[in-house]
Amino acid sequence: MALHLPRACILLEWASRACHKTMITLHLRFPKPEHSHPILLAPGLLDRCGAALREAGLEGPIALVSDTTVAAYHGARVRRSMEEAGFPVLEILLPPGEKTKTLDTAAALYRRLARGGIGRDGVLIGLGGGVVLDLAGFVAATYMRGIALVSIPTTLLAMVDAAIGGKTGVDLPEGKNLVGAFHPPRLLLIDPMVLSTLPPAEWRNGMAEVVKAALIGDAALWQQLRDHPARWAAMPEIEPLVDLLTRAIAVKVRIVEQDPLETRGEREVLNLGHTFGHAFERVSGYRVPHGEAVAAGMMAAAALSARRGFLEEPRLFQDLEDVLRGLGLPTRWRAWLARYGIDASPEDIIAAMGTDKKRRGGRLRFILIHRPGVVRVHSDVPDEAVLQALEETAGL
Ligand SMILES: NC(=O)c1ccc[n+]([C@@H]2O[C@H](COP(=O)([O-])OP(=O)(O)OC[C@H]3O[C@@H](n4cnc5c(N)ncnc54)[C@H](O)[C@@H]3O)[C@@H](O)[C@H]2O)c1
Ligand SMILES: [Zn+2]
């Protein structure tokens, strides 16, 4: 297997074995103690995940759910570590990609678990990107009225976003994430080394959410991105990577803790760039990658913030464009959509927002940037201003 790994991965694996790395432990606290859980982050953690489960008091047996791509790179290490810690492991592999995140796949998983003898005392491990984690989480929430879940995210997006907050779910033909459950993991294990095998497009996708996290709640992280945009275009050295992950995760943890069950509204700020972004995704028939849509969406949100007079730092718009460009993400939506063969007008984009679930009481709600680290929800934005922001950020 090692022979097939990219060179970067082999080097990083070597580095992880050679150096003694400390563990970073964060906590995500929900009102119910049984929902609260630690987040462990350490290079090389995959090789120690079995021991981490034991330390968390988890017993077996284990069902390890992953997709075939992730399993080919990282599955054996997780399995080995679990077996070394004395856990019997039932491995279940799924095809990669969003089309796997369905009720049919969930049903097939329930049956595999039942046939594999996984009972109420079983532990379901999701090893993969957001697709695997959402699906595995949903199955863990519902199988036998709920069994223990351990999440091991392997994409940047899953580490900083999908794995945090307890939301699980599957898609319906009628829309994404329409069926779901709140089911936080008992343990969230993050090994940054696994990102060394991530395709560049997936790295960029995740970086869009990191930029979002910085703008929402970490001015220092924003400064780092702004000062060295090119440094983050690909996976950096391990130390800055760990710092980046810890900071972006901390932003989401803080916001989720303020609004644990998404009932109070604080969690809405996590949708920065997403009201526009979802509209771009919709007009494209979901052909554009989510991270790219969020990047173009954040530009439109920044333009709207400036137009409404909320932006306290006028240079932020240009800085954001430089950061996103440095990361290889789109900033001007018309030219970007044209690359996917999509010709849309600002009016088309606004029409596509009409069905957004963030529209409440007939008015669209936008997350607007006041300054790096400070964003607010605004529900009184006239369509005229939205149209102007879209025209301003259309590009050629
Ligand atoms: N629950 C939440 O709060 C939440 C939040 C944001 C997104 N999501 C969901 O997350 C999903 C998107 O997640 P994603 O972007 O991680 O996509 P993904 O899970 O489809 O992973 C992207 C691709 O990368 C591959 N991959 C994963 N890890 C790899 C690695 N280390 N090396 C090589 N290849 C690897 C996968 O096989 C897949 O092909 C969507 O379904 C979205 O709805 C959920
Ligand atoms: Zn997103």
Side-chain angles (χ1 to χ4, degrees):
M1 182 71 240
L3 287 176
H4 302 292
L5 294 179
R7 184 179 148 74
C9 177
I10 296 169
L11 287 176
L12 278 164
E13 288 211 347
W14 172 82
S16 103
R17 277 197 294 269
C19 313
H20 176 74
K21 296 285 186 343
T22 48
M23 179 96 77
I24 292 173
T25 308
L26 303 170
H27 290 276
L28 178 43
R29 292 189 179 85
F30 286 104
K32 288 190 181 166
E34 66 268 30
H35 289 153
S36 305
H37 64 83
I39 303 171
L40 307 184
L41 190 155
L45 185 54
L46 235 51
D47 297 314
R48 295 181 269 149
C49 57
L53 259 72
R54 287 277 178 223
E55 276 162 36
L58 292 164
E59 312 262 307
I62 280 174
L64 174 61
V65 177
S66 192
D67 74 34
T68 48
T69 307
V70 173
Y73 284 122
H74 307 292
R77 283 167 65 201
V78 173
R79 220 172 31 238
R80 197 182 318 122
S81 177
M82 292 299 159
E83 284 165 359
E84 276 168 14
F87 290 107
V89 179
L90 167 72
E91 191 173 40
I92 306 174
L93 300 186
L94 306 167
E98 188 73 31
K99 59 188 179 313
T100 288
K101 222 177 91 173
T102 63
L103 278 171
D104 284 347
T105 319
L109 271 175
Y110 297 139
R111 300 188 60 198
R112 291 284 300 278
L113 296 176
R115 285 202 302 271
I118 303 291
R120 290 227 58 197
D121 60 341
V123 178
L124 204 155
I125 300 182
L127 170 72
V131 164
V132 167
L133 298 192
D134 274 7
L135 178 68
F138 180 72
V139 167
T142 45
Y143 181 68
M144 295 193 170
R145 285 188 298 280
I147 63 170
L149 171 72
V150 171
S151 300
I152 311 184
T154 61
T155 62
L156 179 56
L157 180 135
M159 289 179 187
V160 302
D161 195 353
I164 297 159
K167 282 202 220 171
T168 72
V170 294
D171 302 332
L172 293 182
E174 286 72 16
K176 281 191 62 178
N177 301 318
L178 289 185
V179 178
F182 175 76
H183 192 66
R186 296 278 294 276
L187 199 54
L188 172 50
L189 301 176
I190 299 181
D191 183 347
M193 296 304 200
V194 301
L195 298 177
S196 59
T197 59
L198 198 64
E202 297 301 339
W203 171 264
R204 285 197 293 275
N205 242 337
M207 277 308 294
E209 303 287 358
V210 172
V211 171
K212 182 194 80 176
L215 286 174
I216 291 174
D218 190 335
L221 177 58
W222 168 252
Q223 212 167 321
Q224 284 189 37
L225 297 169
R226 191 198 61 192
D227 292 348
H228 309 281
R231 180 194 218 182
W232 308 103
M235 183 176 146
E237 301 282 301
I238 198 69
E239 238 173 81
L241 175 63
V242 167
D243 186 55
L244 180 98
L245 290 172
T246 314
R247 283 178 169 280
I249 291 166
V251 170
K252 180 141 188 200
V253 164
R254 209 165 61 235
I255 291 164
V256 167
E257 284 184 344
Q258 285 165 10
D259 185 13
L261 298 175
E262 222 176 349
T263 47
R264 296 155 35 114
E266 277 94 342
R267 218 158 147 165
E268 225 179 319
V269 296
L270 292 167
N271 284 322
L272 172 64
H274 282 61
T275 310
F276 289 106
H278 287 149
F280 295 141
E281 288 183 287
R282 215 166 280 134
V283 296
S284 81
Y286 292 92
R287 272 185 288 153
V288 298
H290 177 70
E292 293 189 7
V294 171
M298 284 191 289
M299 286 300 293
L304 187 55
S305 311
R307 189 152 278 287
R308 299 295 291 154
F310 295 122
L311 205 55
E312 293 164 28
E313 286 183 18
R315 57 173 283 199
L316 185 134
F317 183 82
Q318 187 56 53
D319 285 347
L320 179 60
E321 177 145 47
D322 293 345
V323 167
L324 295 173
R325 277 210 182 124
L327 293 168
L329 286 163
T331 58
R332 302 291 164 158
W333 59 268
R334 205 196 311 261
W336 159 65
L337 286 178
R339 289 212 305 274
Y340 290 91
I342 298 140
D343 179 22
S345 68
E347 288 79 7
D348 295 335
I349 310 295
I350 291 187
M353 284 176 181
T355 52
D356 201 290
K357 55 185 177 205
K358 276 171 285 309
R359 190 187 267 277
R360 284 205 204 139
R363 284 220 87 122
L364 275 173
R365 295 160 71 82
F366 288 91
I367 319 307
L368 299 185
I369 307 166
H370 289 239
R371 58 178 181 276
V374 180
V375 299
R376 299 218 171 93
V377 184
H378 293 265
S379 56
D380 52 354
V381 182
D383 280 3
E384 184 59 23
V386 179
L387 190 68
Q388 284 166 345
L390 279 167
E391 276 163 0
E392 236 171 86
T393 52
L396 289 177

mmCIF file of all heavy atoms in Angstrom, residues 351-393:
data_model
loop_
_atom_site.group_PDB
_atom_site.id
_atom_site.type_symbol
_atom_site.label_atom_id
_atom_site.label_comp_id
_atom_site.label_asym_id
_atom_site.label_seq_id
_atom_site.Cartn_x
_atom_site.Cartn_y
_atom_site.Cartn_z
ATOM 1 N N ALA A 351 -33.491 34.702 -8.006
ATOM 2 C CA ALA A 351 -34.632 33.770 -8.058
ATOM 3 C C ALA A 351 -34.267 32.462 -7.364
ATOM 4 O O ALA A 351 -35.088 31.864 -6.661
ATOM 5 C CB ALA A 351 -35.026 33.518 -9.513
ATOM 6 N N ALA A 352 -33.009 32.027 -7.543
ATOM 7 C CA ALA A 352 -32.572 30.763 -6.927
ATOM 8 C C ALA A 352 -32.474 30.875 -5.409
ATOM 9 O O ALA A 352 -32.466 29.874 -4.705
ATOM 10 C CB ALA A 352 -31.224 30.344 -7.511
ATOM 11 N N MET A 353 -32.390 32.115 -4.907
ATOM 12 C CA MET A 353 -32.350 32.299 -3.444
ATOM 13 C C MET A 353 -33.738 32.129 -2.840
ATOM 14 O O MET A 353 -33.864 31.880 -1.651
ATOM 15 C CB MET A 353 -31.890 33.722 -3.098
ATOM 16 C CG MET A 353 -30.436 33.932 -3.278
ATOM 17 S SD MET A 353 -30.110 35.667 -2.959
ATOM 18 C CE MET A 353 -28.361 35.664 -3.259
ATOM 19 N N GLY A 354 -34.751 32.278 -3.668
ATOM 20 C CA GLY A 354 -36.134 32.270 -3.177
ATOM 21 C C GLY A 354 -36.492 31.018 -2.423
ATOM 22 O O GLY A 354 -37.294 31.056 -1.503
ATOM 23 N N THR A 355 -35.842 29.908 -2.797
ATOM 24 C CA THR A 355 -36.208 28.646 -2.147
ATOM 25 C C THR A 355 -35.262 28.325 -0.996
ATOM 26 O O THR A 355 -35.375 27.282 -0.380
ATOM 27 C CB THR A 355 -36.136 27.490 -3.165
ATOM 28 O OG1 THR A 355 -34.856 27.528 -3.805
ATOM 29 C CG2 THR A 355 -37.235 27.606 -4.202
ATOM 30 N N ASP A 356 -34.339 29.255 -0.722
ATOM 31 C CA ASP A 356 -33.364 28.969 0.331
ATOM 32 C C ASP A 356 -34.066 28.883 1.678
ATOM 33 O O ASP A 356 -34.924 29.693 2.002
ATOM 34 C CB ASP A 356 -32.318 30.088 0.376
ATOM 35 C CG ASP A 356 -31.058 29.626 1.058
ATOM 36 O OD1 ASP A 356 -31.081 29.417 2.284
ATOM 37 O OD2 ASP A 356 -30.058 29.466 0.359
ATOM 38 N N LYS A 357 -33.664 27.873 2.456
ATOM 39 C CA LYS A 357 -34.352 27.697 3.740
ATOM 40 C C LYS A 357 -34.019 28.818 4.718
ATOM 41 O O LYS A 357 -34.655 28.950 5.748
ATOM 42 C CB LYS A 357 -34.079 26.320 4.343
ATOM 43 C CG LYS A 357 -32.641 25.955 4.526
ATOM 44 C CD LYS A 357 -32.523 24.518 5.011
ATOM 45 C CE LYS A 357 -31.044 24.175 5.101
ATOM 46 N NZ LYS A 357 -30.652 22.864 4.996
ATOM 47 N N LYS A 358 -33.021 29.644 4.349
ATOM 48 C CA LYS A 358 -32.710 30.775 5.220
ATOM 49 C C LYS A 358 -33.680 31.939 5.024
ATOM 50 O O LYS A 358 -33.637 32.921 5.721
ATOM 51 C CB LYS A 358 -31.274 31.236 5.008
ATOM 52 C CG LYS A 358 -30.328 30.398 5.847
ATOM 53 C CD LYS A 358 -28.902 30.632 5.533
ATOM 54 C CE LYS A 358 -28.480 30.006 4.242
ATOM 55 N NZ LYS A 358 -28.827 28.579 4.118
ATOM 56 N N ARG A 359 -34.560 31.813 4.013
ATOM 57 C CA ARG A 359 -35.582 32.856 3.848
ATOM 58 C C ARG A 359 -36.658 32.614 4.907
ATOM 59 O O ARG A 359 -37.289 31.568 4.929
ATOM 60 C CB ARG A 359 -36.182 32.774 2.447
ATOM 61 C CG ARG A 359 -37.063 33.968 2.118
ATOM 62 C CD ARG A 359 -37.760 33.746 0.798
ATOM 63 N NE ARG A 359 -37.067 34.295 -0.359
ATOM 64 C CZ ARG A 359 -37.133 35.550 -0.764
ATOM 65 N NH1 ARG A 359 -37.838 36.422 -0.091
ATOM 66 N NH2 ARG A 359 -36.491 35.943 -1.845
ATOM 67 N N ARG A 360 -36.816 33.581 5.793
ATOM 68 C CA ARG A 360 -37.812 33.421 6.859
ATOM 69 C C ARG A 360 -38.788 34.578 6.795
ATOM 70 O O ARG A 360 -38.388 35.707 6.621
ATOM 71 C CB ARG A 360 -37.132 33.449 8.235
ATOM 72 C CG ARG A 360 -36.411 32.176 8.558
ATOM 73 C CD ARG A 360 -36.308 32.031 10.063
ATOM 74 N NE ARG A 360 -35.172 31.169 10.366
ATOM 75 C CZ ARG A 360 -34.334 31.395 11.355
ATOM 76 N NH1 ARG A 360 -34.474 32.450 12.114
ATOM 77 N NH2 ARG A 360 -33.346 30.567 11.596
ATOM 78 N N GLY A 361 -40.055 34.274 6.959
ATOM 79 C CA GLY A 361 -41.077 35.322 6.950
ATOM 80 C C GLY A 361 -41.017 36.139 5.672
ATOM 81 O O GLY A 361 -41.252 37.342 5.682
ATOM 82 N N GLY A 362 -40.652 35.495 4.567
ATOM 83 C CA GLY A 362 -40.682 36.163 3.272
ATOM 84 C C GLY A 362 -39.459 37.010 2.964
ATOM 85 O O GLY A 362 -39.308 37.497 1.854
ATOM 86 N N ARG A 363 -38.578 37.211 3.928
ATOM 87 C CA ARG A 363 -37.392 38.041 3.670
ATOM 88 C C ARG A 363 -36.139 37.187 3.721
ATOM 89 O O ARG A 363 -36.002 36.329 4.584
ATOM 90 C CB ARG A 363 -37.269 39.128 4.750
ATOM 91 C CG ARG A 363 -38.232 40.263 4.567
ATOM 92 C CD ARG A 363 -37.540 41.565 4.876
ATOM 93 N NE ARG A 363 -36.875 42.099 3.710
ATOM 94 C CZ ARG A 363 -37.144 43.292 3.209
ATOM 95 N NH1 ARG A 363 -38.016 44.060 3.754
ATOM 96 N NH2 ARG A 363 -36.473 43.722 2.151
ATOM 97 N N LEU A 364 -35.228 37.482 2.804
ATOM 98 C CA LEU A 364 -33.958 36.765 2.841
ATOM 99 C C LEU A 364 -33.121 37.290 3.990
ATOM 100 O O LEU A 364 -33.173 38.475 4.319
ATOM 101 C CB LEU A 364 -33.207 36.998 1.533
ATOM 102 C CG LEU A 364 -33.572 36.081 0.383
ATOM 103 C CD1 LEU A 364 -32.871 36.536 -0.869
ATOM 104 C CD2 LEU A 364 -33.192 34.640 0.686
ATOM 105 N N ARG A 365 -32.352 36.412 4.576
ATOM 106 C CA ARG A 365 -31.461 36.819 5.670
ATOM 107 C C ARG A 365 -30.025 36.667 5.186
ATOM 108 O O ARG A 365 -29.651 35.648 4.620
ATOM 109 C CB ARG A 365 -31.714 35.950 6.902
ATOM 110 C CG ARG A 365 -33.108 36.162 7.478
ATOM 111 C CD ARG A 365 -33.544 35.018 8.343
ATOM 112 N NE ARG A 365 -32.816 34.959 9.611
ATOM 113 C CZ ARG A 365 -33.127 35.688 10.664
ATOM 114 N NH1 ARG A 365 -34.122 36.536 10.612
ATOM 115 N NH2 ARG A 365 -32.440 35.588 11.780
ATOM 116 N N PHE A 366 -29.243 37.703 5.395
ATOM 117 C CA PHE A 366 -27.851 37.679 4.949
ATOM 118 C C PHE A 366 -26.925 37.847 6.141
ATOM 119 O O PHE A 366 -27.224 38.588 7.077
ATOM 120 C CB PHE A 366 -27.587 38.819 3.959
ATOM 121 C CG PHE A 366 -28.230 38.581 2.632
ATOM 122 C CD1 PHE A 366 -29.504 39.052 2.379
ATOM 123 C CD2 PHE A 366 -27.575 37.861 1.646
ATOM 124 C CE1 PHE A 366 -30.111 38.816 1.163
ATOM 125 C CE2 PHE A 366 -28.174 37.620 0.430
ATOM 126 C CZ PHE A 366 -29.448 38.097 0.182
ATOM 127 N N ILE A 367 -25.796 37.164 6.071
ATOM 128 C CA ILE A 367 -24.767 37.348 7.088
ATOM 129 C C ILE A 367 -23.818 38.377 6.498
ATOM 130 O O ILE A 367 -23.181 38.127 5.460
ATOM 131 C CB ILE A 367 -23.995 36.036 7.368
ATOM 132 C CG1 ILE A 367 -24.934 34.816 7.407
ATOM 133 C CG2 ILE A 367 -23.165 36.152 8.641
ATOM 134 C CD1 ILE A 367 -26.105 34.893 8.314
ATOM 135 N N LEU A 368 -23.734 39.538 7.140
ATOM 136 C CA LEU A 368 -22.897 40.606 6.596
ATOM 137 C C LEU A 368 -21.678 40.821 7.486
ATOM 138 O O LEU A 368 -21.721 40.638 8.710
ATOM 139 C CB LEU A 368 -23.711 41.893 6.453
ATOM 140 C CG LEU A 368 -24.919 41.766 5.496
ATOM 141 C CD1 LEU A 368 -25.606 43.114 5.315
ATOM 142 C CD2 LEU A 368 -24.517 41.194 4.128
ATOM 143 N N ILE A 369 -20.577 41.207 6.807
ATOM 144 C CA ILE A 369 -19.301 41.369 7.515
ATOM 145 C C ILE A 369 -19.188 42.807 8.015
ATOM 146 O O ILE A 369 -19.372 43.750 7.244
ATOM 147 C CB ILE A 369 -18.128 41.064 6.553
ATOM 148 C CG1 ILE A 369 -18.328 39.694 5.889
ATOM 149 C CG2 ILE A 369 -16.791 41.125 7.296
ATOM 150 C CD1 ILE A 369 -17.417 39.465 4.684
ATOM 151 N N HIS A 370 -18.890 42.944 9.297
ATOM 152 C CA HIS A 370 -18.652 44.280 9.850
ATOM 153 C C HIS A 370 -17.152 44.556 9.868
ATOM 154 O O HIS A 370 -16.689 45.562 9.383
ATOM 155 C CB HIS A 370 -19.276 44.396 11.234
ATOM 156 C CG HIS A 370 -20.791 44.433 11.156
ATOM 157 N ND1 HIS A 370 -21.538 45.474 11.633
ATOM 158 C CD2 HIS A 370 -21.669 43.560 10.592
ATOM 159 C CE1 HIS A 370 -22.832 45.238 11.390
ATOM 160 N NE2 HIS A 370 -22.928 44.076 10.766
ATOM 161 N N ARG A 371 -16.414 43.618 10.424
ATOM 162 C CA ARG A 371 -14.950 43.640 10.324
ATOM 163 C C ARG A 371 -14.482 42.215 10.518
ATOM 164 O O ARG A 371 -15.272 41.367 10.961
ATOM 165 C CB ARG A 371 -14.336 44.608 11.335
ATOM 166 C CG ARG A 371 -14.674 44.305 12.773
ATOM 167 C CD ARG A 371 -13.976 45.280 13.720
ATOM 168 N NE ARG A 371 -14.293 44.946 15.091
ATOM 169 C CZ ARG A 371 -15.385 45.356 15.723
ATOM 170 N NH1 ARG A 371 -16.274 46.116 15.120
ATOM 171 N NH2 ARG A 371 -15.606 44.986 16.977
ATOM 172 N N PRO A 372 -13.205 41.911 10.212
ATOM 173 C CA PRO A 372 -12.758 40.521 10.368
ATOM 174 C C PRO A 372 -13.040 40.036 11.789
ATOM 175 O O PRO A 372 -12.664 40.691 12.757
ATOM 176 C CB PRO A 372 -11.254 40.603 10.098
ATOM 177 C CG PRO A 372 -11.096 41.814 9.250
ATOM 178 C CD PRO A 372 -12.145 42.779 9.681
ATOM 179 N N GLY A 373 -13.707 38.926 11.895
ATOM 180 C CA GLY A 373 -14.035 38.363 13.205
ATOM 181 C C GLY A 373 -15.392 38.802 13.721
ATOM 182 O O GLY A 373 -15.860 38.304 14.739
ATOM 183 N N VAL A 374 -16.036 39.745 13.030
ATOM 184 C CA VAL A 374 -17.348 40.224 13.475
ATOM 185 C C VAL A 374 -18.324 40.253 12.293
ATOM 186 O O VAL A 374 -18.154 41.036 11.355
ATOM 187 C CB VAL A 374 -17.268 41.643 14.107
ATOM 188 C CG1 VAL A 374 -18.652 42.106 14.563
ATOM 189 C CG2 VAL A 374 -16.281 41.660 15.269
ATOM 190 N N VAL A 375 -19.326 39.379 12.359
ATOM 191 C CA VAL A 375 -20.359 39.351 11.317
ATOM 192 C C VAL A 375 -21.729 39.364 12.025
ATOM 193 O O VAL A 375 -21.810 38.989 13.185
ATOM 194 C CB VAL A 375 -20.259 38.085 10.425
ATOM 195 C CG1 VAL A 375 -18.938 38.012 9.699
ATOM 196 C CG2 VAL A 375 -20.486 36.814 11.234
ATOM 197 N N ARG A 376 -22.748 39.833 11.313
ATOM 198 C CA ARG A 376 -24.086 39.857 11.921
ATOM 199 C C ARG A 376 -25.144 39.429 10.908
ATOM 200 O O ARG A 376 -24.950 39.591 9.708
ATOM 201 C CB ARG A 376 -24.433 41.271 12.407
ATOM 202 C CG ARG A 376 -23.464 41.764 13.457
ATOM 203 C CD ARG A 376 -24.097 42.586 14.571
ATOM 204 N NE ARG A 376 -23.065 42.783 15.599
ATOM 205 C CZ ARG A 376 -22.261 43.848 15.637
ATOM 206 N NH1 ARG A 376 -22.392 44.803 14.750
ATOM 207 N NH2 ARG A 376 -21.330 43.948 16.574
ATOM 208 N N VAL A 377 -26.242 38.925 11.446
ATOM 209 C CA VAL A 377 -27.357 38.518 10.584
ATOM 210 C C VAL A 377 -28.223 39.753 10.302
ATOM 211 O O VAL A 377 -28.562 40.487 11.224
ATOM 212 C CB VAL A 377 -28.232 37.449 11.289
ATOM 213 C CG1 VAL A 377 -29.337 36.962 10.362
ATOM 214 C CG2 VAL A 377 -27.378 36.284 11.763
ATOM 215 N N HIS A 378 -28.555 39.971 9.032
ATOM 216 C CA HIS A 378 -29.424 41.095 8.661
ATOM 217 C C HIS A 378 -30.608 40.568 7.861
ATOM 218 O O HIS A 378 -30.419 39.829 6.893
ATOM 219 C CB HIS A 378 -28.647 42.114 7.819
ATOM 220 C CG HIS A 378 -27.578 42.809 8.607
ATOM 221 N ND1 HIS A 378 -27.774 44.033 9.210
ATOM 222 C CD2 HIS A 378 -26.305 42.440 8.902
ATOM 223 C CE1 HIS A 378 -26.657 44.389 9.848
ATOM 224 N NE2 HIS A 378 -25.756 43.434 9.675
ATOM 225 N N SER A 379 -31.809 40.971 8.269
ATOM 226 C CA SER A 379 -32.992 40.453 7.570
ATOM 227 C C SER A 379 -33.721 41.560 6.817
ATOM 228 O O SER A 379 -34.789 41.351 6.277
ATOM 229 C CB SER A 379 -33.935 39.791 8.570
ATOM 230 O OG SER A 379 -34.251 40.717 9.571
ATOM 231 N N ASP A 380 -33.119 42.746 6.802
ATOM 232 C CA ASP A 380 -33.817 43.884 6.202
ATOM 233 C C ASP A 380 -33.083 44.377 4.952
ATOM 234 O O ASP A 380 -32.981 45.566 4.710
ATOM 235 C CB ASP A 380 -33.902 45.026 7.231
ATOM 236 C CG ASP A 380 -32.528 45.348 7.799
ATOM 237 O OD1 ASP A 380 -31.567 44.607 7.483
ATOM 238 O OD2 ASP A 380 -32.396 46.339 8.541
ATOM 239 N N VAL A 381 -32.543 43.425 4.193
ATOM 240 C CA VAL A 381 -31.756 43.820 3.018
ATOM 241 C C VAL A 381 -32.672 43.888 1.789
ATOM 242 O O VAL A 381 -33.279 42.887 1.414
ATOM 243 C CB VAL A 381 -30.610 42.808 2.768
ATOM 244 C CG1 VAL A 381 -29.767 43.244 1.579
ATOM 245 C CG2 VAL A 381 -29.751 42.653 4.015
ATOM 246 N N PRO A 382 -32.786 45.065 1.167
ATOM 247 C CA PRO A 382 -33.658 45.149 -0.015
ATOM 248 C C PRO A 382 -33.090 44.361 -1.196
ATOM 249 O O PRO A 382 -31.864 44.294 -1.372
ATOM 250 C CB PRO A 382 -33.682 46.649 -0.342
ATOM 251 C CG PRO A 382 -32.767 47.326 0.602
ATOM 252 C CD PRO A 382 -32.151 46.327 1.520
ATOM 253 N N ASP A 383 -33.960 43.764 -1.989
ATOM 254 C CA ASP A 383 -33.522 42.993 -3.158
ATOM 255 C C ASP A 383 -32.644 43.832 -4.084
ATOM 256 O O ASP A 383 -31.737 43.314 -4.734
ATOM 257 C CB ASP A 383 -34.752 42.477 -3.940
ATOM 258 C CG ASP A 383 -35.352 41.236 -3.279
ATOM 259 O OD1 ASP A 383 -34.840 40.836 -2.212
ATOM 260 O OD2 ASP A 383 -36.327 40.693 -3.814
ATOM 261 N N GLU A 384 -32.931 45.145 -4.128
ATOM 262 C CA GLU A 384 -32.167 46.059 -4.974
ATOM 263 C C GLU A 384 -30.669 46.037 -4.605
ATOM 264 O O GLU A 384 -29.798 45.981 -5.482
ATOM 265 C CB GLU A 384 -32.748 47.474 -4.777
ATOM 266 C CG GLU A 384 -32.157 48.565 -5.638
ATOM 267 C CD GLU A 384 -32.301 48.278 -7.127
ATOM 268 O OE1 GLU A 384 -33.197 47.497 -7.505
ATOM 269 O OE2 GLU A 384 -31.471 48.808 -7.898
ATOM 270 N N ALA A 385 -30.381 46.041 -3.301
ATOM 271 C CA ALA A 385 -28.987 46.018 -2.843
ATOM 272 C C ALA A 385 -28.334 44.677 -3.178
ATOM 273 O O ALA A 385 -27.152 44.612 -3.534
ATOM 274 C CB ALA A 385 -28.925 46.278 -1.338
ATOM 275 N N VAL A 386 -29.110 43.608 -3.079
ATOM 276 C CA VAL A 386 -28.595 42.271 -3.408
ATOM 277 C C VAL A 386 -28.224 42.226 -4.887
ATOM 278 O O VAL A 386 -27.156 41.736 -5.274
ATOM 279 C CB VAL A 386 -29.640 41.180 -3.078
ATOM 280 C CG1 VAL A 386 -29.121 39.803 -3.443
ATOM 281 C CG2 VAL A 386 -30.023 41.239 -1.603
ATOM 282 N N LEU A 387 -29.100 42.798 -5.701
ATOM 283 C CA LEU A 387 -28.864 42.836 -7.142
ATOM 284 C C LEU A 387 -27.586 43.617 -7.443
ATOM 285 O O LEU A 387 -26.748 43.189 -8.248
ATOM 286 C CB LEU A 387 -30.066 43.501 -7.826
ATOM 287 C CG LEU A 387 -30.113 43.410 -9.331
ATOM 288 C CD1 LEU A 387 -30.354 41.970 -9.759
ATOM 289 C CD2 LEU A 387 -31.222 44.304 -9.897
ATOM 290 N N GLN A 388 -27.422 44.740 -6.782
ATOM 291 C CA GLN A 388 -26.217 45.558 -7.016
ATOM 292 C C GLN A 388 -24.950 44.811 -6.587
ATOM 293 O O GLN A 388 -23.940 44.846 -7.275
ATOM 294 C CB GLN A 388 -26.334 46.885 -6.271
ATOM 295 C CG GLN A 388 -27.276 47.852 -6.982
ATOM 296 C CD GLN A 388 -27.680 49.028 -6.101
ATOM 297 O OE1 GLN A 388 -27.481 48.993 -4.884
ATOM 298 N NE2 GLN A 388 -28.265 50.046 -6.714
ATOM 299 N N ALA A 389 -25.027 44.135 -5.445
ATOM 300 C CA ALA A 389 -23.849 43.378 -4.975
ATOM 301 C C ALA A 389 -23.499 42.291 -5.982
ATOM 302 O O ALA A 389 -22.325 42.021 -6.257
ATOM 303 C CB ALA A 389 -24.129 42.770 -3.606
ATOM 304 N N LEU A 390 -24.520 41.669 -6.550
ATOM 305 C CA LEU A 390 -24.270 40.617 -7.547
ATOM 306 C C LEU A 390 -23.674 41.211 -8.819
ATOM 307 O O LEU A 390 -22.752 40.643 -9.413
ATOM 308 C CB LEU A 390 -25.565 39.863 -7.867
ATOM 309 C CG LEU A 390 -25.951 38.779 -6.859
ATOM 310 C CD1 LEU A 390 -27.378 38.309 -7.082
ATOM 311 C CD2 LEU A 390 -24.979 37.587 -6.931
ATOM 312 N N GLU A 391 -24.183 42.362 -9.222
ATOM 313 C CA GLU A 391 -23.637 43.000 -10.428
ATOM 314 C C GLU A 391 -22.174 43.384 -10.204
ATOM 315 O O GLU A 391 -21.333 43.208 -11.078
ATOM 316 C CB GLU A 391 -24.476 44.218 -10.814
ATOM 317 C CG GLU A 391 -25.685 43.797 -11.651
ATOM 318 C CD GLU A 391 -26.774 44.857 -11.730
ATOM 319 O OE1 GLU A 391 -26.608 45.939 -11.122
ATOM 320 O OE2 GLU A 391 -27.789 44.581 -12.391
ATOM 321 N N GLU A 392 -21.901 43.879 -9.007
ATOM 322 C CA GLU A 392 -20.545 44.312 -8.673
ATOM 323 C C GLU A 392 -19.529 43.166 -8.675
ATOM 324 O O GLU A 392 -18.356 43.371 -8.954
ATOM 325 C CB GLU A 392 -20.567 44.885 -7.251
ATOM 326 C CG GLU A 392 -20.061 46.288 -7.119
ATOM 327 C CD GLU A 392 -20.362 46.776 -5.715
ATOM 328 O OE1 GLU A 392 -19.535 46.498 -4.832
ATOM 329 O OE2 GLU A 392 -21.418 47.383 -5.513
ATOM 330 N N THR A 393 -19.993 41.969 -8.317
ATOM 331 C CA THR A 393 -19.060 40.845 -8.195
ATOM 332 C C THR A 393 -19.202 39.839 -9.338
ATOM 333 O O THR A 393 -18.652 38.746 -9.275
ATOM 334 C CB THR A 393 -19.265 40.098 -6.851
ATOM 335 O OG1 THR A 393 -20.646 39.772 -6.716
ATOM 336 C CG2 THR A 393 -18.826 40.943 -5.677
#
